[in-house]
Amino acid sequence: MKRADFSQAHPAPRPPRGGAPVGRVEELTPAELAAIAYLRMTLTGNQRAVAEDFTLLLGADDGAEAHAAFHRLAAALSTRSRIFPHHAPGCTCYGGDESAFVGLLGAAAEGDEEAAMGFALHLFSGHPPLGLLAAAARAGLALSHMAGLLSAAPRAVH
């Protein structure tokens, strides 16, 4: 029987739990892609550009309200007990926790509270913050509306 050779270099470290790639961004709907892009931007310090997009597409009042809900979710992810692993802005794949975030927004926006709570329990290790589903529903609806505005065919002026 041959002995294993452990003298070789260590393999590359595994991505943090929740950060392993589970899909490619081209598989996502426009609203899902926006959710991941804006989350990455927020978590890497580009929150101002995110707020500007919400305001530009939804107007001052609705944009501020929707951005506040989105920011509340991102802030909650930043304070959970396990670090929220995310891919860099512009990365063509997305991780498991990013996928759960998209699932939370989508289920909450559709009014599927049971599915939304399942995603929330995954993301927050069984202790989601109070009011999280309402914020997720508001942000998810806003992103769907924003994606619809951007993908609508141009209308003739005359």
Side-chain angles (χ1 to χ4, degrees):
M1 185 161 142
K2 195 172 186 178
R3 295 182 69 183
D5 181 10
F6 292 104
S7 64
Q8 296 176 0
H10 295 283
R14 293 184 333 163
R17 185 173 57 147
V22 297
R24 304 200 52 79
V25 295
E26 64 262 9
E27 303 164 349
L28 300 171
T29 67
E32 293 168 338
L33 179 58
I36 287 179
Y38 288 144
L39 178 64
R40 290 174 179 177
M41 290 170 67
T42 299
L43 295 175
T44 57
N46 202 358
Q47 179 182 332
R48 185 179 187 151
V50 176
E52 289 172 359
D53 280 3
F54 274 82
T55 300
L56 178 69
L57 290 167
L58 300 174
D61 293 339
D62 288 341
E65 181 185 321
H67 179 258
F70 187 86
H71 183 261
R72 182 173 187 277
L73 296 170
L77 292 173
S78 296
T79 60
R80 67 188 194 152
S81 60
R82 181 171 57 92
I83 292 174
F84 184 83
H86 61 87
H87 292 234
C91 183
T92 59
C93 59
Y94 58 92
D97 280 1
E98 290 173 317
S99 179
F101 178 75
V102 166
L104 168 63
L105 292 180
E110 292 173 3
D112 187 347
E113 290 184 12
E114 186 176 339
M117 185 54 81
F119 288 116
L121 291 171
H122 164 76
L123 287 169
F124 295 97
S125 302
H127 303 289
L130 292 176
L132 180 85
L133 295 186
R138 178 65 180 109
L141 287 170
L143 290 169
S144 292
H145 184 68
M146 290 164 64
L149 290 172
L150 291 173
S151 65
R155 290 182 250 163
V157 176
H158 299 284

